[in-house]
Each structure stands twice: as structure tokens, then as C-alpha cells.
Amino acid sequence: QVQLVESGGGLVQAGESLKLSCAASGLTFSRYTMGWFRQAPGKERELAASITWTYSSTYYADSVKGRFTISRDNTKNTVQLEMNSLKPEDTAVYYCAAKLTRSYDYWGQGTQVTVSS
């Protein structure tokens, strides 16, 4: 059974930092592209960042570029999202997800990030 478990969310003030972590089990982690999605109230879920299984390619949404950094450790089956200079508009539920080919097949339960102004 595949499990993705996020941690590290919380309440911070604007300008502060948070680091999210996702622990994966039940899959060959090193074969999967990993992504961090987020969904704010009343908005569609969006891909914030992703990293390929070879570490060779990362993607960042324009809204987080330069502030967020995604990384992974294939020896520990974990993926992290370091978020700096947080803004109130970064407030959302953040989800970890795993993709083998075209679509994200597995999802975590989400972790809340709230940024106060």
C-alpha cells in the first residue's frame, strides 16, 4: 500500500520560512517524479514544484520561483519543500504527490500552511 505522509505545516508570519517534508512508502520511490501541490480556499489545486527521479529537472510555479526549493533524498524516500519569504497568498493546504508516467498517481493527505500578514 502506497503512503505519502506530509509534515511541517503550520502558522507563520509573512516573511518567515517553513520546510515541508513528505515520507513515502510502498513504492519504488526513486522511479517517481515527486510534486508539491497546493490548494487555497476557493481555488483550484496547483502544482507548486516538482522534481524528477533523476534529480535532473525541477519545476517551479512562477508564484514561488526564487522563494521555494524542492529537494529529495532517494536513500530515505523523502521529498522536501523549503519555503522562504512566505506571503499570505501562500496560505493553502499543501499536498505531496508521486508520478510515474503521465499523471500523479498517489497523493498525501495534505498539510496546512497559514501565513499571516
Side-chain angles (χ1 to χ4, degrees):
Q1 181 181 358
V2 175
Q3 282 193 315
L4 302 176
V5 180
E6 302 98 336
S7 60
L11 171 63
V12 296
Q13 293 189 335
E16 294 184 340
S17 300
L18 272 178
K19 188 171 185 176
L20 306 182
S21 185
C22 173
S25 61
L27 75 170
T28 308
F29 180 77
S30 59
R31 295 180 60 192
Y32 284 77
T33 291
M34 299 301 296
W36 282 99
F37 287 76
R38 64 184 187 178
Q39 187 166 22
K43 295 189 177 180
E44 292 187 356
R45 187 176 297 187
E46 67 168 348
L47 177 63
S50 66
I51 184 168
T52 58
W53 63 279
T54 60
Y55 304 84
S56 63
S57 179
T58 56
Y59 162 85
Y60 295 96
D62 287 343
S63 56
V64 309
K65 204 171 291 183
R67 300 187 297 121
F68 290 12
T69 302
I70 189 170
S71 60
R72 66 188 294 163
D73 186 337
N74 286 348
T75 66
K76 297 181 179 178
N77 287 8
T78 58
V79 59
Q80 289 79 35
L81 185 68
E82 186 166 356
M83 306 183 295
N84 297 316
S85 302
L86 283 162
K87 304 176 181 180
E89 50 263 45
D90 295 317
T91 295
V93 178
Y94 284 72
Y95 298 90
C96 171
K99 178 175 73 172
L100 187 61
T101 53
R102 294 183 179 181
S103 62
Y104 283 87
D105 306 298
Y106 303 107
W107 296 81
Q109 81 287 352
T111 186
Q112 177 71 46
V113 171
T114 303
V115 184
S116 63
S117 57

